[in-house]
Amino acid sequence: MPPSTTSINWATLQNGSDIRGVALEGVSGESVNLTPEVVNTLGKAFATWLSSALSVPAAELAIAVGRDSRLSGPTLMQAAIAGMTSLGCRVMDVGMASTPAMFMSTVLPEFACHGAIMMTASHLPFNRNGLKFFTRQGGLGKGDITRILALAERGNFPTAATPGPVESRDLIAAYSAGLVQQIRQSVNHPDNFDQPLHRLKIIVDAGNGAGGFYASQVLEPLGADTSGSQFLDPDGTFPNHVPNPEDAAAMASICRAVVAQGADFGIIFDTDVDRGAAVDHQGRELNRNRLIALIAAIVLHQHPGTTIVTDSITSDGLTQFIEGDLGGVHHRFQRGYRNVINEAIRLNGLGQPAWLAIETSGHGAMKENYFLDDGAYLVSQLLVELAKARLCGNRLTDLIAPLQEPQESEEFRLKIKTPDFKTYGTGVIEQLREFVDTQPDWAIAPKNYEGVRVACQSLDENGWFLLRLSLHDPVLPLNIESNVSGGVAKIAQRLRDFFVPLAELDISALERHL
């Protein structure tokens, strides 16, 4: 039986700067903790927090609410709406939407909401759901979420004499129109301004999430042929593949479709469209380091010398490309898209221009777009360059021809078996630092902000590894890259010898590779 709001442990719903929970039964051993009653209370708590933060009475607030394709979305969304209107708030029900579009509801003049809520759990299993919150300053941070949950736990919200009104609004149409106009203006096609993507065949894979609109409301008005696009219809059971550009099966699916259809380009989104990736005309993935390199090339052409902020697991070849080939600055920071975005904002505040913050997961945020991680905006910049390249008889991927890519790349997730995993994991990292100092052909990389990154300098290894502590899980992710065949195995073997005496560390994932 689902818990009541009096018995729930509210703090367990926090997942960094989001709220996440189990909304439906479906996975053995998981108890439902994100019920309509809980979400109703969260709606009240957000409205109360927003009223206090803006010094605006609840009855004068306008808040937009949208959702992705998850099965629990409609019911939970109505619960959140009921909670906020009970305080007198005016609520805009925008139905199916994307996470970036929900932020735009706070800045588009025809909406001008004080805040917004997106019901999503990104690429997590079908029975999960969650809430992401926005103000006109962007997504809420961890501290804000903690305060909202504290308000929810306290309860005792006042009830307005008259409930606030609910309006149904088409946010995605307005959001899409903005993308269409931006692409038209940026391409500035000399012969076909309104349809700069004419004669380009572009396939979209929405993974049955919320991103199907991009084919019909963005690409088709621009003249693109989207026939052969797949999984555009929202289906919260996600029957075809996980809607996640980092998932191997998902990427394989869009790659096959591009080749089979003879398309010029492929686009894939995650469930709520805050992440995206692409595929070139040969069916080659354009994600992770390649995606970062492409966007960096575009940004550095527009803003020479700017800093590109990425997460910690990007390759040495990417650094060479950004700094050696493009003349930019590569600031390799930490995992976590909010960490990367906040670091770019911090650098700009210090006077160091940073026009792009992007994580290998596909979360990418650009300064001119509110530093909003927006998968649709990101791939739109690729389409602008695709159209420009076609006009010149070139290929989009010519931009990253100098990019040096590793011959081998692996990630191993080493599980920590002790409950105090953060203390233990930190200790393992410190012991590894000491071990590296005894290895003559290994060197700790300077300017590293997460875990320990090591350059492996011998000819038969010729690569690097990074060991860090997971942001949320009892895991030490280990990334290894090598520029020579067999290099990853050689590095992994030496690391195994270091790890074996550590009794509370499960290294079976690493050993399976050896």
Side-chain angles (χ1 to χ4, degrees):
M1 182 176 179
S4 68
T5 56
T6 57
S7 63
I8 189 170
N9 182 349
W10 290 93
T12 62
L13 294 175
Q14 181 161 3
N15 183 58
S17 56
D18 297 344
I19 285 174
R20 296 269 177 87
V22 179
L24 296 172
E25 295 180 356
V27 178
S28 178
E30 289 189 325
S31 300
V32 173
N33 62 354
L34 197 67
T35 64
E37 184 183 10
V38 166
V39 173
N40 179 279
T41 300
L42 289 170
K44 294 176 183 177
F46 174 60
T48 300
W49 175 89
L50 188 62
S51 174
S52 175
L54 301 180
S55 298
V56 175
E60 297 178 18
L61 291 175
I63 302 174
V65 186
R67 62 178 178 85
D68 65 17
S69 61
R70 292 177 179 276
L71 300 177
S72 58
T75 300
L76 295 186
M77 191 168 124
Q78 291 307 310
I81 290 172
M84 291 185 290
T85 56
S86 73
L87 272 61
C89 303
R90 179 165 66 97
V91 177
M92 297 185 192
D93 178 348
V94 303
M96 187 81 66
S98 71
T99 290
M102 293 313 302
F103 166 74
M104 295 303 293
S105 73
T106 70
V107 295
L108 289 172
E110 62 266 45
F111 288 84
C113 292
H114 296 91
I117 300 176
M118 176 67 177
M119 308 289 308
T120 184
S122 188
H123 61 280
L124 294 181
F126 80 95
N127 65 323
R128 308 291 185 86
N129 214 327
L131 295 85
K132 297 176 79 79
F133 302 97
F134 296 94
T135 68
R136 292 168 187 168
Q137 282 66 53
L140 269 57
K142 294 179 183 179
D144 301 320
I145 301 302
T146 300
R147 285 185 280 275
I148 288 170
L149 288 169
L151 288 168
E153 185 171 18
R154 188 184 69 189
N156 298 320
F157 299 100
T159 301
T162 302
V166 179
E167 309 170 35
S168 293
R169 298 286 298 275
D170 191 347
L171 174 61
I172 282 295
Y175 170 77
S176 298
L179 291 175
V180 167
Q181 190 61 18
Q182 191 264 332
I183 293 171
R184 284 173 176 157
Q185 292 174 347
S186 297
V187 176
N188 194 23
H189 198 291
D191 303 316
N192 198 345
F193 179 85
D194 285 340
Q195 294 195 322
L197 304 184
H198 182 58
R199 294 184 179 174
L200 284 170
K201 185 176 180 66
I202 302 172
I203 287 179
V204 177
D205 183 330
N208 302 111
F213 73 90
Y214 197 82
S216 59
Q217 298 192 54
V218 178
L219 294 179
E220 290 173 13
L222 292 168
D225 174 4
T226 63
S227 60
S229 291
Q230 58 188 20
F231 318 139
L232 302 182
D233 294 333
D235 183 341
T237 64
F238 309 124
N240 294 292
H241 61 67
V242 177
N244 180 5
E246 284 194 291
D247 182 74
M251 288 306 302
S253 180
I254 181 65
C255 290
R256 285 194 302 269
V258 167
V259 172
Q261 295 292 328
D264 297 291
F265 203 60
I267 295 167
I268 184 169
F269 295 118
D270 74 343
T271 318
D272 59 324
V273 202
D274 60 358
R275 291 188 294 141
V279 176
D280 73 7
H281 69 287
Q282 295 177 318
R284 186 175 70 144
E285 296 180 11
L286 300 175
N287 61 354
R288 300 178 68 80
N289 286 292
R290 289 175 189 162
L291 178 64
I292 296 172
L294 267 176
I295 296 294
I298 294 168
V299 169
L300 279 159
H301 177 74
Q302 299 167 346
H303 307 283
T306 194
T307 295
I308 308 297
V309 182
T310 73
D311 60 338
S312 59
I313 66 170
T314 48
S315 71
D316 289 343
L318 180 67
T319 301
Q320 170 60 33
F321 179 70
I322 291 172
E323 299 191 345
D325 296 299
L326 301 178
V329 176
H330 183 197
H331 185 79
R332 188 189 286 121
F333 196 53
Q334 300 171 349
R335 288 285 279 175
Y337 72 95
R338 288 303 313 177
N339 291 331
V340 173
I341 291 171
N342 289 340
E343 180 69 357
I345 293 170
R346 186 187 73 84
L347 292 176
N348 279 288
L350 294 174
Q352 180 177 346
W355 283 82
L356 174 64
I358 185 166
E359 197 185 30
T360 47
S361 65
H363 282 284
M366 304 179 78
K367 184 179 178 183
E368 77 268 16
N369 191 43
Y370 307 96
F371 270 122
L372 175 68
D373 52 317
D374 184 343
Y377 187 88
L378 200 71
V379 300
S380 293
Q381 307 321 299
L382 298 182
L383 292 176
V384 168
E385 295 304 315
L386 178 69
K388 288 180 176 179
R390 176 62 66 91
L391 281 170
C392 300
N394 297 326
R395 296 281 188 185
L396 171 65
T397 48
D398 293 345
L399 289 174
I400 58 171
L403 177 66
Q404 299 173 15
E405 300 191 67
Q407 187 156 341
E408 298 178 342
S409 180
E410 296 288 346
E411 178 174 279
F412 308 98
R413 295 178 65 80
L414 313 180
K415 297 179 181 178
I416 300 172
K417 296 182 284 187
T418 185
D420 188 8
F421 66 89
K422 290 188 177 181
T423 300
Y424 187 82
T426 301
V428 171
I429 290 170
E430 289 307 311
Q431 291 178 63
L432 181 57
R433 287 182 190 276
E434 296 172 4
F435 175 73
V436 169
D437 285 339
T438 69
Q439 307 298 301
D441 55 347
W442 283 3
I444 294 176
K447 296 182 180 179
N448 183 62
Y449 299 90
E450 184 173 37
V452 58
R453 186 180 178 111
V454 175
C456 305
Q457 300 163 329
S458 68
L459 293 178
D460 60 350
E461 292 180 351
N462 189 11
W464 60 271
F465 67 83
L466 172 73
L467 184 72
R468 62 185 175 85
L469 185 61
S470 171
L471 296 175
H472 306 296
D473 302 320
V475 168
L476 284 166
L478 172 65
N479 293 86
I480 308 177
E481 286 192 358
S482 175
N483 298 313
V484 295
S485 179
V488 166
K490 286 183 170 61
I491 296 169
Q493 182 61 58
R494 291 174 69 179
L495 285 169
R496 177 193 176 277
D497 294 342
F498 164 76
F499 288 133
V500 163
L502 303 176
E504 298 300 327
L505 195 63
D506 179 355
I507 62 170
S508 56
L510 181 67
E511 291 180 317
R512 283 195 294 271
H513 188 79
L514 299 174

